[in-house]
Amino acid sequence: MKTDDWDLEMVNEHLQSIDLKDPIARSGARNRLKKWIAKAGVNASSSRSIVSVKQEPSVASNLARDVAKKLGTMDDDEIEAVAAQAGKKQDQMNEVIECTSGYAKAMRHCGHEGAALDKAVEGEDPETEIVKGVGSEFKIKTIGTKCVSDDWKGMDDFYLAMAQMVTRAEGDDRPYIVRRLNAISNHVHKLCMGVQLPYVKKLFKQFYKGIPTAVNETLASTVELEWRNSLSKKHVITSGGDDSKLLERIKAAENRAEKAEKRAAAAEKGKGGGSGKEILCHCCHETGHIAKNCPSACKKCSKEDPVSGSWRHKHMDKCECNSE
């Protein structure tokens, strides 16, 4: 892009040609181009020779399609592939520009309302604030020093904040911020309950540039490891594997063993050691055996219930099975 000889009129013509209608985005793009013309130009290094300007992906696709057609070396399918790729690349560029803008940083700082966000809507730069100190000293405060996630004490706070931010971003026509916020909420639903809050708090805290992306693999693994280690003070987890489920199975086995010991102790006590009374058979009402081993029980009628595990007993004199 040759911009070394541009004036303000040519800048406006360029903004008109890329169909940039949003007044705030148009103002930001105009300022970026003016700074580029004044400081960089075509003689700058290669790392600064390209200016990223937000525009509609369809406009970028059409421009790429026109260029490809003029070359005359591609068929229709190849031209459409080039156009689609250009639109996708512009969409990704738009997301980076919008989600790291002053507006995005202000939203990360104060949520859906606040002076910094209101300034960003009006086109002002809310990123820095100069505070007069003692004597002639000055301090510079940035909106990155505080994060909206600092106030989240539970997942209810998170969901409320996300709903409010989505509503505000939709009203201020920030589609890429809305998309990222919704993606974060969708990703959180896939996490374990104990991981959700520390994950989103760290996600917003660490991404000081604005609105974070939904998935950060390094952060996710770190938060999950911390959560799993907090499940048990005795058992520290250092590698993969679902140790939380293992701990649950161990605890369940311990509970079953404890109940079995209590039942055995109660049965031992009932045999006469504690109360001094012998157990009577529920079937024949005689001592010396239990109903399960009663010689007077009908062999056909007496059986174990497969659901409850209890034993059904019937005396052979009271049944109609003609038991042998």
Side-chain angles (χ1 to χ4, degrees):
M1 180 187 295
K2 292 186 177 181
T3 57
D4 54 338
D5 57 349
W6 279 20
D7 55 16
L8 184 58
E9 183 178 355
M10 296 184 71
V11 169
N12 289 331
E13 288 179 358
H14 173 70
L15 296 177
Q16 188 68 29
S17 67
I18 63 175
D19 198 25
L20 190 61
K21 298 178 180 180
D22 182 81
I24 297 176
R26 190 182 182 90
S27 176
R30 183 186 294 108
N31 291 335
R32 290 171 68 93
L33 283 172
K34 287 169 65 177
K35 289 180 181 178
W36 167 255
I37 295 168
K39 297 181 180 180
V42 294
N43 295 323
S45 63
S46 59
S47 62
R48 299 182 59 191
S49 60
I50 298 176
V51 178
S52 299
V53 179
K54 185 179 174 182
Q55 65 179 1
E56 291 297 324
S58 59
V59 176
S61 295
N62 291 334
L63 292 175
R65 185 181 291 106
D66 293 340
V67 172
K69 287 181 179 180
K70 290 179 181 179
L71 292 175
T73 58
M74 303 181 187
D75 57 27
D76 292 341
D77 292 339
E78 291 174 332
I79 292 174
E80 290 304 317
V82 170
Q85 181 65 24
K88 182 178 180 180
K89 184 176 180 180
Q90 184 64 49
D91 184 72
Q92 294 173 342
M93 186 185 300
N94 290 349
E95 182 175 3
V96 173
I97 293 173
E98 184 171 294
C99 294
T100 58
S101 63
Y103 179 94
K105 293 178 182 178
M107 178 166 280
R108 171 197 172 275
H109 168 73
C110 62
H112 71 290
E113 61 182 2
L117 192 59
D118 294 336
K119 287 182 179 180
V121 172
E122 297 298 325
E124 298 182 33
D125 181 8
E127 293 192 34
T128 58
E129 178 184 357
I130 299 178
V131 181
K132 188 175 182 180
V134 180
S136 59
E137 294 182 357
F138 288 86
K139 294 182 179 180
I140 298 178
K141 295 175 63 177
T142 65
I143 63 176
T145 57
K146 185 180 182 300
C147 181
V148 64
S149 67
D150 293 339
D151 299 327
W152 297 345
K153 305 303 181 184
M155 287 306 295
D156 289 341
D157 297 333
F158 162 73
Y159 288 122
L160 176 61
M162 294 295 281
Q164 291 172 334
M165 287 190 287
V166 166
T167 302
R168 176 64 189 260
E170 286 178 339
D172 293 334
D173 193 24
R174 299 295 193 279
Y176 293 97
I177 291 179
V178 172
R179 189 165 74 183
R180 278 201 181 182
L181 293 174
N182 288 333
I184 292 172
S185 296
N186 292 336
H187 178 67
V188 167
H189 287 303
K190 303 176 184 178
L191 303 177
C192 298
M193 294 294 290
V195 178
Q196 293 176 342
L197 185 60
Y199 173 77
V200 293
K201 286 176 72 72
K202 283 191 176 184
L203 185 66
F204 274 83
K205 191 68 177 176
Q206 291 185 0
F207 195 80
Y208 62 90
K209 295 180 181 179
I211 306 300
T213 54
V215 182
N216 183 323
E217 294 298 336
T218 302
L219 176 63
S221 60
T222 301
V223 172
E224 183 181 4
L225 183 62
E226 292 175 355
W227 170 72
R228 289 166 60 201
N229 283 335
S230 69
L231 294 177
S232 173
K233 295 180 180 179
K234 297 181 181 179
H235 180 54
V236 178
I237 302 163
T238 57
S239 61
D242 197 343
D243 292 82
S244 61
K245 291 184 178 180
L246 176 61
L247 292 176
E248 292 175 359
R249 291 197 295 269
I250 293 173
K251 186 64 177 177
E254 291 175 347
N255 291 337
R256 289 194 299 270
E258 184 179 354
K259 290 180 180 179
E261 290 176 357
K262 289 181 179 179
R263 288 196 299 268
E268 186 68 26
K269 183 178 180 180
K271 285 182 179 179
S275 63
K277 296 181 180 180
E278 292 186 288
I279 299 176
L280 295 178
C281 173
H282 293 297
C283 185
C284 67
H285 302 289
E286 296 179 0
T287 60
H289 60 266
I290 59 176
K292 183 176 181 180
N293 301 322
C294 181
S296 300
C298 176
K299 296 179 181 181
K300 292 183 178 180
C301 296
S302 301
K303 58 182 179 180
E304 187 176 6
D305 190 335
V307 178
S308 64
S310 61
W311 194 266
R312 296 178 180 179
H313 318 286
K314 194 142 188 179
H315 198 285
M316 62 177 62
D317 295 337
K318 298 180 181 180
C319 71
E320 299 177 356
C321 297
N322 295 321
S323 174
E324 296 179 0

